[in-house]
Amino acid sequence: MQLHIRVQLYDRILYGLMLGVLTCASFFPTLSAAQVPNPTVTGPIAQPVSPGDPSHNYIFFSSNHDLAGHGYVEEEFFISGTATRYATPNQTNPDASSTGTVISTGNPYKTRIVVRRPSDPSKFNGVVLVEWYNVTNNFDAENTWFFGWENIMRSGYVWVGVSAQRVGVNALKAWSPTRYGTFDVTVGNTVNDDSLSYDVYSQAGQAIASPVGVDPLHGLVPKTIIATGESQSAMRLAAYANSIQPLADLYDGILALSTLGNRIRTDLAVPFFKVLTESDVVLFNEANVRQPNTSNFRSWEVAGSSHVDQHLRNSREPLELRDNGVSTEATGLDPAPPAGCTFKPVGTRTPTTFVLASAYDKMVKWIQNGTLPPTAPGITITSFSPVVPLRNSLGLAQGGIQLSQMVVPTRINNGVNVGPGACNRWGYSLPIDPATLQAMYPDPLAYFFRVAQVDKANVISGYMLQDDMVADMISAVTGNVSGIYDGE
């Protein structure tokens, strides 16, 4: 059977399967009342040169995706004011008096927010995602955007990035003294920690929720505001949830991707959603800090996924090369053996982005009308010290959310790699050789049906959205398995 004939057949099957999983969503949100100062907002700041210009007088990490083609606009605003420094208690036992305490008040600061919004107000879904920029590599990186940009624009979210930490702010100042030289979150180099960052992040949210003066959303009225971030930023959001949210009461919910082994207080008044990769569960102690699902807590674990996956790399590394001249971690990951990581290519191909998209969707419904997200099984663990997941004969982790890439594999996706530096958390994705694939899937139509069955089950279970089911099933038609039959 030739590929073009199969595609027509699969299209008909796909249409029929879609009819079985169509759902409707209604958004009726309520914003929480916050007692957080409004910062002074300036902007939008002009961008007189194109991204990549040597002058660096443009938005650092200005998106390389086709925002205009998706009906989106990107703008940068400066925010300034005075902020409170907070002490955040040890997060290993957040139920024991973890609420933050004031260190000092009246600390001047100046930093930035970046806004990506629908240009057509009718396309706005009423939800703002406020991302705490990740500074693990000593510069601002919008990792949650990198993981989920397709769904963010497809669904009409507003995305806002906040430069809250001194490492990222200082890097901006060094990168473009002309554009960012007046920034400061250190009170004139007298504050050498990030105790100011929590109130800066709150005030950025307040500028979105209740603008005074310049409105960064140009009249769009948010109904729901969600705090979000990945990895080091998710760790900060865990501290924010435990210590600051009870005081500020600003964000309507918090969705954190890869919280690095931090527990969340059980009396939090707003929903907290953890989304975890296999790397997080195995390497960052999440297996040992699991918490029961409650009316305000959910945790999903995605088997076969890595802390940094190929999907993220595809977005982030071109920006690193454009704006910094080097891709920091990739330099040590990809050299030919024996240098770098043991298993190549690094970065799993199991689409965490599908699960993250559904998690945001479920988070919104949870906040707006009290519909609890579905629970999900954890990745099966055979040893907790060290953490060892159960793996099948192919080496694929069992349990957790199982996407089609794991149940009907064409690659071996493992969330844990071996090697120097950051290798372990990048995982790897090894292709299964064509002869083995043909033995596993002698009939490409049967393979397609198996993928469709898994995808439909994940949509019904709530772990995947319908649009991503369609994309995944189209990929099954044109992917590795179908390719070995094209010459027939």
Side-chain angles (χ1 to χ4, degrees), residues 49-383:
V49 298
S50 299
D53 187 273
S55 71
H56 287 178
N57 194 7
Y58 60 88
I59 300 171
F60 178 75
F61 266 32
S62 178
S63 181
N64 58 342
H65 296 300
D66 182 13
L67 300 187
H70 288 82
Y72 266 68
V73 174
E74 177 183 68
E75 294 178 325
E76 184 174 59
F77 298 83
F78 294 169
I79 63 172
S80 60
T82 59
T84 297
R85 294 179 62 204
Y86 284 103
T88 52
N90 193 312
Q91 301 303 310
T92 58
N93 186 15
D95 290 329
S97 301
S98 61
T99 302
T101 56
V102 173
I103 299 173
S104 63
T105 60
N107 300 285
Y109 76 90
K110 183 177 182 181
T111 186
R112 68 162 188 163
I113 61 174
V114 175
V115 178
R116 297 176 187 142
R117 59 177 173 82
S119 54
D120 180 351
S122 69
K123 303 298 184 183
F124 178 40
N125 70 358
V127 182
V128 181
L129 307 177
V130 181
E131 176 165 3
W132 186 309
Y133 276 120
N134 180 290
V135 297
T136 297
N137 292 316
N138 299 314
F139 56 81
D140 281 352
E142 54 219 38
N143 288 354
T144 303
W145 167 270
F146 293 147
F147 266 103
W149 62 272
E150 298 98 330
N151 178 63
I152 290 173
M153 291 194 286
R154 178 181 71 202
S155 299
Y157 290 98
V158 166
W159 176 91
V160 177
V162 181
S163 296
Q165 290 178 254
R166 59 195 171 92
V167 169
V169 169
N170 289 343
L172 289 172
K173 295 170 67 174
W175 183 77
S176 181
T178 300
R179 190 174 185 88
Y180 301 123
T182 58
F183 283 9
D184 184 23
V185 291
T186 66
V187 193
N189 293 319
T190 63
V191 176
N192 295 313
D193 56 26
D194 283 316
S195 55
L196 210 64
S197 63
Y198 301 103
D199 198 31
V200 169
Y201 184 72
S202 293
Q203 291 190 32
Q206 182 71 305
I208 299 300
S210 303
V212 174
V214 174
D215 179 3
L217 301 192
H218 292 269
L220 297 180
V221 179
K223 300 175 181 178
T224 302
I225 302 180
I226 296 172
T228 194
E230 187 265 351
S231 189
Q232 191 257 18
S233 299
M235 178 181 70
R236 291 283 174 182
L237 288 179
Y240 186 94
N242 292 333
S243 297
I244 309 302
Q245 176 66 20
L247 300 173
D249 190 26
L250 177 67
Y251 290 98
D252 298 308
I254 302 170
L255 192 151
L257 175 61
S258 305
T259 44
L260 303 184
N262 289 275
R263 296 181 67 250
I264 306 302
R265 64 190 297 163
T266 58
D267 62 347
L268 194 63
V270 299
F272 193 104
F273 206 142
K274 278 189 181 186
V275 178
L276 304 172
T277 68
E278 182 183 315
S279 304
D280 305 321
V281 175
V282 176
L283 298 173
F284 296 119
N285 203 41
E286 287 290 348
N288 285 297
V289 296
R290 284 171 169 164
Q291 298 174 240
N293 291 299
T294 69
S295 60
N296 268 337
F297 180 81
R298 280 293 183 275
S299 180
W300 286 358
E301 300 175 5
V302 187
S305 59
S306 55
H307 191 74
V308 179
D309 67 3
Q310 187 60 37
H311 183 268
L312 180 147
R313 294 186 70 185
N314 290 342
S315 286
R316 190 176 75 182
E317 289 179 19
L319 296 185
E320 289 189 55
L321 293 171
R322 184 194 72 194
D323 291 354
N324 291 336
V326 62
S327 180
T328 49
E329 290 185 296
T331 301
L333 295 170
D334 292 334
C341 302
T342 301
F343 301 103
K344 296 183 178 67
V346 301
T348 53
R349 271 66 168 175
T350 304
T352 305
T353 182
F354 290 174
V355 178
L356 184 64
S358 187
Y360 281 126
D361 178 82
K362 305 303 181 292
M363 182 76 164
V364 171
K365 295 173 184 176
W366 190 7
I367 293 168
Q368 292 176 348
N369 57 32
T371 301
L372 294 176
T375 60
I379 292 172
T380 305
I381 303 300
T382 61
S383 168

